[in-house]
Amino acid sequence: MNGTRRAFYFALGWVMVALGFIGALLPVMPTTIFLIIAAWCFGRSSPRFEKWLLEHPVFGPTLVQWQRHGAIPLRIKWIACGGMAFGFATFWYFARPAPLLGAVVALFFIACALYVVSRPNGQ
């Protein structure tokens, strides 16, 4: 891989790490998906930082389960689905969307939740 592409993946990896850590602090923003993308980016640009993420004491086990088995632990599934429900309720309450927009957003969240729930639980 050329240097420009590696630099792009490296920078994108750090943006995803930043978004993931922000998501760990804010209940309406996801964490794990950003860290999965960060690990993927670092896998293409910096084995050192990929290792750092995969060995992180809090986030590492979930990332390793995803890489090995495409698995999402049951606890994380509950958190993700709860976060989506909270996000939709917040959107509905504050945005007061038109019925069609509300339905489209609801279908998006439902599709995302179905995907999360359909993944294996891991070990």
Side-chain angles (χ1 to χ4, degrees):
M1 183 177 302
N2 69 32
T4 303
R5 186 172 281 174
R6 282 184 57 152
F8 172 76
Y9 283 131
F10 186 74
L12 183 59
W14 279 111
V15 168
M16 294 298 118
V17 166
L19 291 172
F21 280 103
I22 290 169
L25 301 173
L26 298 176
V28 296
M29 190 167 160
T31 300
T32 308
I33 188 64
F34 291 120
L35 297 180
I36 288 170
I37 296 168
W40 182 84
C41 289
F42 288 146
R44 281 142 188 79
S45 64
S46 174
R48 180 176 138 211
F49 286 110
E50 179 188 30
K51 182 179 184 230
W52 168 75
L53 258 184
L54 296 177
E55 293 178 354
H56 190 276
V58 175
F59 304 113
T62 301
L63 296 174
V64 169
Q65 284 293 315
W66 176 260
Q67 280 191 339
R68 290 186 183 158
H69 309 289
I72 301 172
L74 188 58
R75 179 180 153 273
I76 302 301
K77 288 181 182 185
W78 278 101
I79 291 169
C81 290
M84 286 183 253
F86 179 77
F88 180 74
T90 302
F91 163 73
W92 189 265
Y93 181 78
F94 288 107
R96 306 258 190 235
L100 180 60
L101 178 60
V104 168
V105 172
L107 287 174
F108 174 76
F109 276 117
I110 289 168
C112 291
L114 287 173
Y115 177 76
V116 167
V117 170
S118 74
R119 306 305 310 152
N121 289 337
Q123 295 154 343

